[in-house]
Amino acid sequence: MFDDPHLAPRAANFRPLTPIDFLTRSLEQHPDRPAVAWREHRWSYAEFGAIVARMAGWLRDQGIGPGDVVSVMLSNRPEMLAAHFAAPAIGAVLNTLNTRLAPDDLHYIVTHAGARIVLCEPGAAGALDGSGIAGAELCREPGAGEGLDFFSGPVPPLDIRMPASETQAIALNYTSGTTGRPKGVVLTHRGATMNALGNVLALGLTRISSYLWTLPMFHCNGWCHTWAVTAAGGMHVCLDKVEPAPILDLIARHEVSHMCCAPVVLYMILDHGGPAAAHPVLVVTGGAAPTPTLLEGMEARGFELIHAYGMTECYGPSTFNDPGPAAPGSVEERAAGLSRQGLRHLTVGGVRVVGEDGRDVPADGESIGEITMSGNTVMAGYYRDPEASEAVFSGGALHSGDLAVMHADGQIEIRDRMKDVIISGGENISSLEVETVLHRHPEVLLAAVVAAPDPKWGETPCAFVEIRSGSALDATGLEAFCKEHLTGFKRPRRFVFGVLPRTATGKIQKFALRQRARDEASS
């Protein structure tokens, strides 16, 4: 009886979901509230809306229209934020580029994406030479008199082109390319809306929130916080470069309440010293689990940590481990609890840990399986790559490639990436387990463990270690530490000290370390 034609969706009761609505509502609801702070400048929502309108108008004047790809290679500056609304407002698809891409990868991405134009930093257009794609450089500062200046001038009508379907593409994000050529992840208006709203609820964002952009906006659209903070009507605090002194300065100056970053940024803040924050700051971090040293140090400075897990293919974070500000137990116990990746947030359809037979592994904290995800916050697929799309969606869910256990309380805990498991003498060794032990050493800043070829065992663990400033830690000290915490076959046979190669988002480039381990083993 509920299938009657008169009950079908119609214009009066259906509107495609899109994050563009977040901006239009904020413009209506609180046009005078602070929206964006950058350097010594501050813009209200009405003024930020004007920046978006100027950018959208300029893109139209360049002949950009529905379905065209607009690439943006910018740091965390206001125009990068504005592009998240200006491009989709005219029906275009936003492609945010890692500012640290090598020319070869940059040219591959803009060509593969079919970008019509690239907005970039002053002096950066030369990186596109040879790609066949035009680069348009922005101004150094509002009113600088050179480059594109969207901060002033006539304000054209925003004239938003709403998507005909909420499953239309809003963004094309490329994976970090740590295992080969980057893949183009197609995200939709619906998925971006849902994940952004999930983040608003998970982080408790409100109109009085002040969000510091320590996470690159080019990374999964800033985990969808570009749209989430705007939906809440909070203030975006833009940061040119991730360094501890300006981070702490902006936290104090703008009463920052929220930020997201990789653990390496937190270690930078911890090593920097200085006074504690005058007010609590909620930090969402991903990647390596916070160690007791990091947790204790950051809590003493007024930071509350949440551990998240996600993928580019899932719009950023899909699960959150939020122990709350008054979690019981010792710092070691709390760090152990925070090492888990937590539970799905509200708008994620499902997160499972499955065995090779596709069935859920027992929730015993020991049985290992692969994390799979499903629901509205999963990508549409890989751009121009139907084979990879079919493979990653096999069995009716997105396969992450991450190995994990499921605990009795429903929390997942990652044990390793499938490709990072080390097989030594027939025994499986979790590189993540060894890395976790190394990170417990108070003088270790970062550690990455990869397989090194071995004539007897096939493979053995090789540890690449970045130590904290001023430390005199050496291989002998680390070997003794590992003997206290790891069984013999799991201990690294070699320690290599130095700065670890990583992406702009803090991910360690293990493919480079694997190659180095192979090269050194054969020399």
Side-chain angles (χ1 to χ4, degrees), residues 55 90 125 292 362 508:
M55 182 181 289
I90 63 172
I508 296 170

Side-chain angles (χ1 to χ4, degrees), residues 67 88 91-94 163 165-172 185-189 380:
V93 178
L94 180 66
S165 167
E166 59 189 18
T167 58
Q168 281 183 204
I170 189 173
L172 175 61
V185 175
V186 179
L187 305 183
T188 68
H189 284 259

Side-chain angles (χ1 to χ4, degrees), residues 113-174:
R116 288 286 306 279
I117 200 165
V118 181
L119 294 176
C120 53
E121 301 276 352
L128 295 161
D129 290 348
S131 69
I133 311 296
E137 296 182 358
L138 300 184
C139 59
R140 291 181 292 102
E141 189 89 14
E146 56 184 33
L148 291 170
D149 190 339
F150 297 118
F151 298 104
S152 60
V155 182
L158 188 50
D159 191 21
I160 293 172
R161 183 188 181 99
M162 297 299 291
S165 167
E166 59 189 18
T167 58
Q168 281 183 204
I170 189 173
L172 175 61
N173 295 335
Y174 281 76

Side-chain angles (χ1 to χ4, degrees), residues 7-97:
L7 298 178
R10 61 183 76 195
N13 60 25
F14 177 78
R15 175 185 175 92
L17 295 175
T18 173
I20 305 171
D21 274 339
F22 300 155
L23 176 61
T24 57
R25 179 189 175 276
S26 289
L27 291 173
E28 297 164 1
Q29 187 80 10
H30 30 246
D32 298 325
R33 288 196 62 82
V36 183
W38 181 50
R39 298 177 183 172
E40 302 305 316
H41 310 282
R42 186 181 292 208
W43 294 269
S44 67
Y45 266 96
E47 291 166 332
F48 176 63
I51 296 172
V52 174
R54 293 187 192 101
M55 182 181 289
W58 183 85
L59 289 171
R60 280 197 189 96
D61 291 343
Q62 310 312 304
I64 307 298
D68 288 336
V69 174
V70 174
S71 294
V72 184
M73 187 170 59
L74 296 172
S75 58
N76 286 348
R77 49 187 288 162
E79 301 98 324
M80 178 61 143
L81 179 64
H84 280 77
F85 298 94
I90 63 172
V93 178
L94 180 66
N95 167 229
T96 56
L97 298 166

Side-chain angles (χ1 to χ4, degrees), residues 177 185 250 282 284 337 383 419 425 461 468 471-472 523:
V185 175
L250 291 173
L282 186 66
V284 181
Y383 187 51
K419 62 180 178 294
R468 299 177 71 171
S471 171
S523 61

Side-chain angles (χ1 to χ4, degrees), residues 417-453:
R417 290 284 294 172
M418 284 183 171
K419 62 180 178 294
D420 291 338
V421 173
I422 301 166
I423 303 175
S424 183
E427 297 283 354
N428 286 357
I429 302 172
S430 165
S431 63
L432 183 59
E433 179 186 358
V434 183
E435 289 165 4
T436 299
V437 168
L438 292 171
H439 281 131
R440 289 177 189 161
H441 194 291
E443 295 178 54
V444 170
L445 180 64
L446 282 175
V449 176
V450 300

